[in-house]
Amino acid sequence: MLTAKDFRDQAIKLTTQWNNTIDNNNEIPWHWNQIQELNNESKGYLTTKRYHKINNNNNNNNNNNNNNNNNNNNNNNNNNEVFEEIEEIIDSSTLIKKSEKNIIVFQFDIIYSKSYQVPVLYLNGFSSFDSSPLSWNEIWNNLPLSNLDKSQQSTIPFITQVEHPILGNPCYQLHPCETDNLMKLILLKEKDYSNTENDKNEYYKDYYLLSWLSIIGPMVNIKIPFNLLKNNIK
């Protein structure tokens, strides 16, 4: 299992490495928010945002599957609008007025779960025009998760609406019930590790968080910098 200390240490390290990797690329950094609890227990969480704009010129992608059955075609046609990530940092003062309604903001927080002893991803979506929350359908239809093969549902993490464990606001959670099993499979494959406690401890202390994020991230439009993976997972 991943300990709270391992999560904190890896999160701070990952924040530094990630932000150094994208320093010259105008991409949005991660931040570590430190929190002091009433019992003086120190903890925190990772947070970042991603900005996306609606691309209405992607209809041709849905026509490539005309040979599929009608049900599949109907499902594709309901998802003609896709979100294109805007890599540069944007705030409300720099948005072009005519485009404001076509831009949404995804908020991502990664928090350690004491119950499951794994990292958990929480997300929300908002309109950049008036900061109103997106509906579940608006969020779901613009996550790569929604385009995965539905026949492989058992391998797709499911999302539930919950209360943010730190901020207290409604949000969506990638449920962590299968995270530990997933990471155990990765542990057995990474670097051909043997099943010794030393190997497990090394992996959990050094590579766990980045390995997990490299799997979860692409499902929710979090792109992992190639150089970050290259320099850490060998």
Side-chain angles (χ1 to χ4, degrees), residues 1 6 19 22 30 35 41 46 54 77 89 105 123 133-134 138 150 167 177 179 186 207 211 217:
M1 295 290 183
D6 289 340
N19 296 346
I22 66 170
W30 285 85
I35 296 173
E41 179 183 357
L46 280 171
I54 298 175
N77 290 332
I89 300 175
V105 184
L123 63 97
L134 301 181
E138 288 174 311
K150 301 304 183 294
L167 303 179
C177 58
T179 299
I186 295 175
Y207 302 105
S211 296

Side-chain angles (χ1 to χ4, degrees), residues 64-78:
N64 292 332
N65 295 322
N66 285 336
N67 293 328
N68 293 339
N69 60 55
N70 290 332
N71 288 335
N72 286 339
N73 284 336
N74 289 335
N75 289 336
N76 285 335
N77 290 332
N78 289 332

Side-chain angles (χ1 to χ4, degrees), residues 133-148:
L134 301 181
S135 68
W136 165 242
N137 285 338
E138 288 174 311
I139 292 176
W140 174 253
N141 288 337
N142 293 283
L143 293 176
L145 263 175
S146 65
N147 296 319
L148 295 181

Side-chain angles (χ1 to χ4, degrees), residues 68-203:
N68 293 339
N69 60 55
N70 290 332
N71 288 335
N72 286 339
N73 284 336
N74 289 335
N75 289 336
N76 285 335
N77 290 332
N78 289 332
N79 194 25
N80 285 338
E81 292 185 335
V82 297
F83 282 74
E84 176 185 345
E85 182 176 353
I86 302 172
E87 291 188 349
E88 65 270 18
I89 300 175
I90 296 178
D91 59 39
S92 57
S93 64
T94 62
L95 293 177
I96 301 173
K97 289 185 177 179
K98 67 179 181 180
S99 301
E100 282 182 337
K101 292 184 178 180
N102 293 328
I103 298 176
I104 65 167
V105 184
F106 280 106
Q107 174 75 42
F108 297 107
D109 296 333
I110 299 175
I111 303 173
Y112 180 76
S113 169
K114 289 183 178 179
S115 300
Y116 289 93
Q117 296 182 286
V118 297
V120 183
L121 180 70
Y122 296 83
L123 63 97
N124 247 330
F126 305 91
S127 165
S128 67
F129 180 66
D130 58 6
S131 298
S132 59
L134 301 181
S135 68
W136 165 242
N137 285 338
E138 288 174 311
I139 292 176
W140 174 253
N141 288 337
N142 293 283
L143 293 176
L145 263 175
S146 65
N147 296 319
L148 295 181
D149 185 354
K150 301 304 183 294
S151 67
Q152 302 297 322
Q153 284 286 0
S154 62
T155 65
I156 301 174
F158 63 91
I159 300 179
T160 55
Q161 187 171 30
V162 297
E163 180 181 286
H164 194 288
I166 294 176
L167 303 179
N169 57 284
C171 62
Y172 296 95
Q173 170 201 68
L174 266 69
H175 202 278
C177 58
E178 291 299 324
T179 299
D180 186 54
N181 289 333
L182 172 66
M183 297 309 294
K184 284 178 179 177
L185 290 175
I186 295 175
L187 171 60
L188 294 176
K189 294 180 180 180
E190 286 287 343
K191 295 185 175 181
D192 294 325
Y193 278 152
S194 61
N195 196 27
T196 66
E197 287 303 315
N198 286 338
D199 288 334
K200 287 181 179 179
N201 290 338
E202 178 186 351
Y203 181 83

